Amino acid sequence: MWYVILARDGADSLALREAARPAHLERLRALQDQGRLLAAGPLPAIDAHDPGPAGFEGSLIIAHFDSLEEARSWAEADPYRAAGVYRGLEVMPFRGVLPA
């Protein structure tokens, strides 16, 4: 099943995010290589593609896992979580409708 992982950054997390980004992207690429990644990306803190020093509010990931527990476990093990970038995580089932 597909799951949405909505992660919220803590205050002043931009430097932490930049330091942990290579390991974070490596995990996402592994999901992509397995055909299990639908979408992933950061949530800019301002209405701009590159928010500069304003940084990011969090991240959104839509990926396929065998269970909600597996999705939560994967999200909790993210390098951004370990580095203190994420202050909170929500993981929920997702049923895509469009595009068909």
Side-chain angles (χ1 to χ4, degrees):
M1 178 163 199
W2 294 103
Y3 294 90
V4 170
I5 299 168
L6 179 59
R8 296 291 186 172
D9 284 18
D12 301 317
S13 63
L14 187 57
L16 298 172
R17 178 180 272 271
E18 290 171 350
R21 188 169 192 261
H24 170 76
L25 290 178
E26 183 178 329
R27 291 180 86 233
L28 289 171
R29 285 190 186 103
L31 286 179
Q32 181 179 355
D33 291 348
Q34 297 165 13
R36 297 173 49 203
L37 184 64
L38 185 63
L43 306 171
I46 60 173
D47 189 11
H49 179 77
D50 180 359
F56 299 92
E57 293 288 327
S59 300
L60 176 75
I61 299 166
I62 303 175
H64 193 275
F65 295 95
D66 290 335
S67 67
L68 180 58
E69 294 76 24
E70 182 185 347
R72 283 187 179 136
S73 178
W74 186 92
E76 287 290 346
D78 193 282
Y80 279 177
R81 187 72 159 162
V85 174
Y86 293 157
R87 67 170 162 79
L89 287 168
E90 291 181 65
V91 182
M92 59 205 91
F94 174 75
R95 191 182 87 181
V97 174
L98 294 172

PDB file of all heavy atoms in Angstrom, residues 44-67:
ATOM      1  N   PRO A  44       9.091  24.152   0.981  1.00  0.00           N
ATOM      2  CA  PRO A  44       9.742  25.434   1.245  1.00  0.00           C
ATOM      3  C   PRO A  44       8.964  26.275   2.260  1.00  0.00           C
ATOM      4  O   PRO A  44       7.730  26.275   2.278  1.00  0.00           O
ATOM      5  CB  PRO A  44       9.759  26.124  -0.124  1.00  0.00           C
ATOM      6  CG  PRO A  44       9.674  24.990  -1.111  1.00  0.00           C
ATOM      7  CD  PRO A  44       8.801  23.958  -0.438  1.00  0.00           C
ATOM      8  N   ALA A  45       9.709  26.999   3.082  1.00  0.00           N
ATOM      9  CA  ALA A  45       9.096  27.841   4.115  1.00  0.00           C
ATOM     10  C   ALA A  45       8.450  29.089   3.531  1.00  0.00           C
ATOM     11  O   ALA A  45       7.617  29.717   4.188  1.00  0.00           O
ATOM     12  CB  ALA A  45      10.145  28.230   5.158  1.00  0.00           C
ATOM     13  N   ILE A  46       8.849  29.449   2.309  1.00  0.00           N
ATOM     14  CA  ILE A  46       8.245  30.592   1.623  1.00  0.00           C
ATOM     15  C   ILE A  46       7.841  30.151   0.225  1.00  0.00           C
ATOM     16  O   ILE A  46       8.242  29.084  -0.241  1.00  0.00           O
ATOM     17  CB  ILE A  46       9.205  31.810   1.556  1.00  0.00           C
ATOM     18  CG1 ILE A  46      10.483  31.441   0.791  1.00  0.00           C
ATOM     19  CG2 ILE A  46       9.526  32.313   2.957  1.00  0.00           C
ATOM     20  CD1 ILE A  46      11.409  32.618   0.518  1.00  0.00           C
ATOM     21  N   ASP A  47       7.080  30.969  -0.456  1.00  0.00           N
ATOM     22  CA  ASP A  47       6.580  30.642  -1.787  1.00  0.00           C
ATOM     23  C   ASP A  47       7.681  30.861  -2.820  1.00  0.00           C
ATOM     24  O   ASP A  47       7.678  31.837  -3.567  1.00  0.00           O
ATOM     25  CB  ASP A  47       5.352  31.498  -2.099  1.00  0.00           C
ATOM     26  CG  ASP A  47       4.643  31.077  -3.369  1.00  0.00           C
ATOM     27  OD1 ASP A  47       4.959  29.995  -3.902  1.00  0.00           O
ATOM     28  OD2 ASP A  47       3.774  31.841  -3.841  1.00  0.00           O
ATOM     29  N   ALA A  48       8.651  29.947  -2.830  1.00  0.00           N
ATOM     30  CA  ALA A  48       9.776  30.040  -3.755  1.00  0.00           C
ATOM     31  C   ALA A  48      10.365  28.651  -3.957  1.00  0.00           C
ATOM     32  O   ALA A  48      10.417  27.855  -3.017  1.00  0.00           O
ATOM     33  CB  ALA A  48      10.838  30.980  -3.200  1.00  0.00           C
ATOM     34  N   HIS A  49      10.817  28.399  -5.187  1.00  0.00           N
ATOM     35  CA  HIS A  49      11.455  27.111  -5.479  1.00  0.00           C
ATOM     36  C   HIS A  49      12.696  26.928  -4.611  1.00  0.00           C
ATOM     37  O   HIS A  49      12.936  25.855  -4.071  1.00  0.00           O
ATOM     38  CB  HIS A  49      11.815  27.029  -6.961  1.00  0.00           C
ATOM     39  CG  HIS A  49      12.491  25.760  -7.344  1.00  0.00           C
ATOM     40  ND1 HIS A  49      11.810  24.581  -7.496  1.00  0.00           N
ATOM     41  CD2 HIS A  49      13.792  25.484  -7.582  1.00  0.00           C
ATOM     42  CE1 HIS A  49      12.665  23.626  -7.817  1.00  0.00           C
ATOM     43  NE2 HIS A  49      13.876  24.143  -7.873  1.00  0.00           N
ATOM     44  N   ASP A  50      13.490  27.969  -4.503  1.00  0.00           N
ATOM     45  CA  ASP A  50      14.671  27.961  -3.643  1.00  0.00           C
ATOM     46  C   ASP A  50      14.444  28.987  -2.540  1.00  0.00           C
ATOM     47  O   ASP A  50      14.590  30.188  -2.769  1.00  0.00           O
ATOM     48  CB  ASP A  50      15.927  28.294  -4.441  1.00  0.00           C
ATOM     49  CG  ASP A  50      17.181  28.310  -3.587  1.00  0.00           C
ATOM     50  OD1 ASP A  50      17.094  28.084  -2.355  1.00  0.00           O
ATOM     51  OD2 ASP A  50      18.266  28.544  -4.153  1.00  0.00           O
ATOM     52  N   PRO A  51      14.084  28.546  -1.342  1.00  0.00           N
ATOM     53  CA  PRO A  51      13.755  29.494  -0.281  1.00  0.00           C
ATOM     54  C   PRO A  51      14.953  30.155   0.381  1.00  0.00           C
ATOM     55  O   PRO A  51      14.791  30.985   1.268  1.00  0.00           O
ATOM     56  CB  PRO A  51      12.997  28.631   0.727  1.00  0.00           C
ATOM     57  CG  PRO A  51      13.590  27.280   0.551  1.00  0.00           C
ATOM     58  CD  PRO A  51      13.897  27.170  -0.910  1.00  0.00           C
ATOM     59  N   GLY A  52      16.161  29.779  -0.045  1.00  0.00           N
ATOM     60  CA  GLY A  52      17.354  30.379   0.539  1.00  0.00           C
ATOM     61  C   GLY A  52      17.392  30.190   2.040  1.00  0.00           C
ATOM     62  O   GLY A  52      17.042  29.130   2.552  1.00  0.00           O
ATOM     63  N   PRO A  53      17.797  31.230   2.780  1.00  0.00           N
ATOM     64  CA  PRO A  53      17.946  31.092   4.228  1.00  0.00           C
ATOM     65  C   PRO A  53      16.629  30.861   4.977  1.00  0.00           C
ATOM     66  O   PRO A  53      16.647  30.462   6.138  1.00  0.00           O
ATOM     67  CB  PRO A  53      18.604  32.395   4.656  1.00  0.00           C
ATOM     68  CG  PRO A  53      18.423  33.335   3.537  1.00  0.00           C
ATOM     69  CD  PRO A  53      18.242  32.524   2.288  1.00  0.00           C
ATOM     70  N   ALA A  54      15.475  31.082   4.303  1.00  0.00           N
ATOM     71  CA  ALA A  54      14.186  30.806   4.955  1.00  0.00           C
ATOM     72  C   ALA A  54      14.036  29.312   5.229  1.00  0.00           C
ATOM     73  O   ALA A  54      13.323  28.914   6.147  1.00  0.00           O
ATOM     74  CB  ALA A  54      13.025  31.310   4.101  1.00  0.00           C
ATOM     75  N   GLY A  55      14.706  28.497   4.416  1.00  0.00           N
ATOM     76  CA  GLY A  55      14.698  27.058   4.650  1.00  0.00           C
ATOM     77  C   GLY A  55      13.399  26.375   4.283  1.00  0.00           C
ATOM     78  O   GLY A  55      12.661  26.817   3.415  1.00  0.00           O
ATOM     79  N   PHE A  56      13.139  25.296   5.002  1.00  0.00           N
ATOM     80  CA  PHE A  56      12.014  24.425   4.681  1.00  0.00           C
ATOM     81  C   PHE A  56      11.168  24.157   5.919  1.00  0.00           C
ATOM     82  O   PHE A  56      11.662  24.156   7.040  1.00  0.00           O
ATOM     83  CB  PHE A  56      12.532  23.104   4.102  1.00  0.00           C
ATOM     84  CG  PHE A  56      13.301  23.308   2.830  1.00  0.00           C
ATOM     85  CD1 PHE A  56      14.680  23.480   2.858  1.00  0.00           C
ATOM     86  CD2 PHE A  56      12.647  23.370   1.625  1.00  0.00           C
ATOM     87  CE1 PHE A  56      15.395  23.693   1.684  1.00  0.00           C
ATOM     88  CE2 PHE A  56      13.351  23.585   0.440  1.00  0.00           C
ATOM     89  CZ  PHE A  56      14.722  23.747   0.477  1.00  0.00           C
ATOM     90  N   GLU A  57       9.888  23.924   5.681  1.00  0.00           N
ATOM     91  CA  GLU A  57       8.947  23.584   6.749  1.00  0.00           C
ATOM     92  C   GLU A  57       8.958  22.086   7.051  1.00  0.00           C
ATOM     93  O   GLU A  57       8.548  21.669   8.113  1.00  0.00           O
ATOM     94  CB  GLU A  57       7.524  23.992   6.355  1.00  0.00           C
ATOM     95  CG  GLU A  57       7.317  25.484   6.251  1.00  0.00           C
ATOM     96  CD  GLU A  57       7.311  26.153   7.604  1.00  0.00           C
ATOM     97  OE1 GLU A  57       6.852  25.536   8.588  1.00  0.00           O
ATOM     98  OE2 GLU A  57       7.767  27.303   7.690  1.00  0.00           O
ATOM     99  N   GLY A  58       9.385  21.296   6.062  1.00  0.00           N
ATOM    100  CA  GLY A  58       9.375  19.853   6.235  1.00  0.00           C
ATOM    101  C   GLY A  58       9.541  19.144   4.917  1.00  0.00           C
ATOM    102  O   GLY A  58      10.065  19.706   3.959  1.00  0.00           O
ATOM    103  N   SER A  59       9.061  17.913   4.856  1.00  0.00           N
ATOM    104  CA  SER A  59       9.167  17.080   3.661  1.00  0.00           C
ATOM    105  C   SER A  59       7.900  16.266   3.484  1.00  0.00           C
ATOM    106  O   SER A  59       7.219  15.935   4.464  1.00  0.00           O
ATOM    107  CB  SER A  59      10.340  16.101   3.787  1.00  0.00           C
ATOM    108  OG  SER A  59      11.562  16.760   3.959  1.00  0.00           O
ATOM    109  N   LEU A  60       7.629  15.909   2.235  1.00  0.00           N
ATOM    110  CA  LEU A  60       6.520  15.022   1.904  1.00  0.00           C
ATOM    111  C   LEU A  60       7.074  13.862   1.094  1.00  0.00           C
ATOM    112  O   LEU A  60       7.811  14.070   0.132  1.00  0.00           O
ATOM    113  CB  LEU A  60       5.457  15.751   1.085  1.00  0.00           C
ATOM    114  CG  LEU A  60       4.301  14.871   0.616  1.00  0.00           C
ATOM    115  CD1 LEU A  60       3.376  14.568   1.786  1.00  0.00           C
ATOM    116  CD2 LEU A  60       3.532  15.543  -0.494  1.00  0.00           C
ATOM    117  N   ILE A  61       6.733  12.655   1.505  1.00  0.00           N
ATOM    118  CA  ILE A  61       7.156  11.446   0.802  1.00  0.00           C
ATOM    119  C   ILE A  61       5.919  10.573   0.625  1.00  0.00           C
ATOM    120  O   ILE A  61       5.148  10.388   1.570  1.00  0.00           O
ATOM    121  CB  ILE A  61       8.228  10.684   1.611  1.00  0.00           C
ATOM    122  CG1 ILE A  61       9.472  11.552   1.819  1.00  0.00           C
ATOM    123  CG2 ILE A  61       8.575   9.353   0.935  1.00  0.00           C
ATOM    124  CD1 ILE A  61      10.428  11.018   2.877  1.00  0.00           C
ATOM    125  N   ILE A  62       5.737  10.056  -0.577  1.00  0.00           N
ATOM    126  CA  ILE A  62       4.691   9.061  -0.823  1.00  0.00           C
ATOM    127  C   ILE A  62       5.403   7.827  -1.347  1.00  0.00           C
ATOM    128  O   ILE A  62       6.031   7.871  -2.410  1.00  0.00           O
ATOM    129  CB  ILE A  62       3.628   9.551  -1.824  1.00  0.00           C
ATOM    130  CG1 ILE A  62       2.993  10.858  -1.351  1.00  0.00           C
ATOM    131  CG2 ILE A  62       2.553   8.464  -2.020  1.00  0.00           C
ATOM    132  CD1 ILE A  62       2.025  11.473  -2.346  1.00  0.00           C
ATOM    133  N   ALA A  63       5.340   6.753  -0.577  1.00  0.00           N
ATOM    134  CA  ALA A  63       6.081   5.544  -0.912  1.00  0.00           C
ATOM    135  C   ALA A  63       5.272   4.301  -0.567  1.00  0.00           C
ATOM    136  O   ALA A  63       4.346   4.349   0.247  1.00  0.00           O
ATOM    137  CB  ALA A  63       7.421   5.522  -0.165  1.00  0.00           C
ATOM    138  N   HIS A  64       5.651   3.209  -1.193  1.00  0.00           N
ATOM    139  CA  HIS A  64       4.959   1.931  -0.984  1.00  0.00           C
ATOM    140  C   HIS A  64       5.671   1.101   0.078  1.00  0.00           C
ATOM    141  O   HIS A  64       6.887   0.905   0.020  1.00  0.00           O
ATOM    142  CB  HIS A  64       4.921   1.150  -2.300  1.00  0.00           C
ATOM    143  CG  HIS A  64       3.993  -0.011  -2.271  1.00  0.00           C
ATOM    144  ND1 HIS A  64       4.353  -1.241  -1.788  1.00  0.00           N
ATOM    145  CD2 HIS A  64       2.705  -0.103  -2.647  1.00  0.00           C
ATOM    146  CE1 HIS A  64       3.325  -2.051  -1.882  1.00  0.00           C
ATOM    147  NE2 HIS A  64       2.310  -1.386  -2.404  1.00  0.00           N
ATOM    148  N   PHE A  65       4.889   0.617   1.051  1.00  0.00           N
ATOM    149  CA  PHE A  65       5.385  -0.256   2.105  1.00  0.00           C
ATOM    150  C   PHE A  65       4.374  -1.372   2.305  1.00  0.00           C
ATOM    151  O   PHE A  65       3.210  -1.248   1.916  1.00  0.00           O
ATOM    152  CB  PHE A  65       5.579   0.517   3.419  1.00  0.00           C
ATOM    153  CG  PHE A  65       6.648   1.566   3.344  1.00  0.00           C
ATOM    154  CD1 PHE A  65       6.324   2.883   3.048  1.00  0.00           C
ATOM    155  CD2 PHE A  65       7.977   1.245   3.563  1.00  0.00           C
ATOM    156  CE1 PHE A  65       7.306   3.858   2.972  1.00  0.00           C
ATOM    157  CE2 PHE A  65       8.969   2.217   3.494  1.00  0.00           C
ATOM    158  CZ  PHE A  65       8.629   3.530   3.189  1.00  0.00           C
ATOM    159  N   ASP A  66       4.796  -2.445   2.946  1.00  0.00           N
ATOM    160  CA  ASP A  66       3.902  -3.575   3.196  1.00  0.00           C
ATOM    161  C   ASP A  66       2.893  -3.308   4.304  1.00  0.00           C
ATOM    162  O   ASP A  66       1.858  -3.968   4.372  1.00  0.00           O
ATOM    163  CB  ASP A  66       4.707  -4.835   3.531  1.00  0.00           C
ATOM    164  CG  ASP A  66       5.457  -5.378   2.323  1.00  0.00           C
ATOM    165  OD1 ASP A  66       5.030  -5.131   1.174  1.00  0.00           O
ATOM    166  OD2 ASP A  66       6.477  -6.052   2.539  1.00  0.00           O
ATOM    167  N   SER A  67       3.206  -2.347   5.179  1.00  0.00           N
ATOM    168  CA  SER A  67       2.297  -2.070   6.292  1.00  0.00           C
ATOM    169  C   SER A  67       2.553  -0.660   6.828  1.00  0.00           C
ATOM    170  O   SER A  67       3.605  -0.073   6.572  1.00  0.00           O
ATOM    171  CB  SER A  67       2.503  -3.073   7.426  1.00  0.00           C
ATOM    172  OG  SER A  67       3.791  -2.886   8.017  1.00  0.00           O
TER     173      SER A  67
END
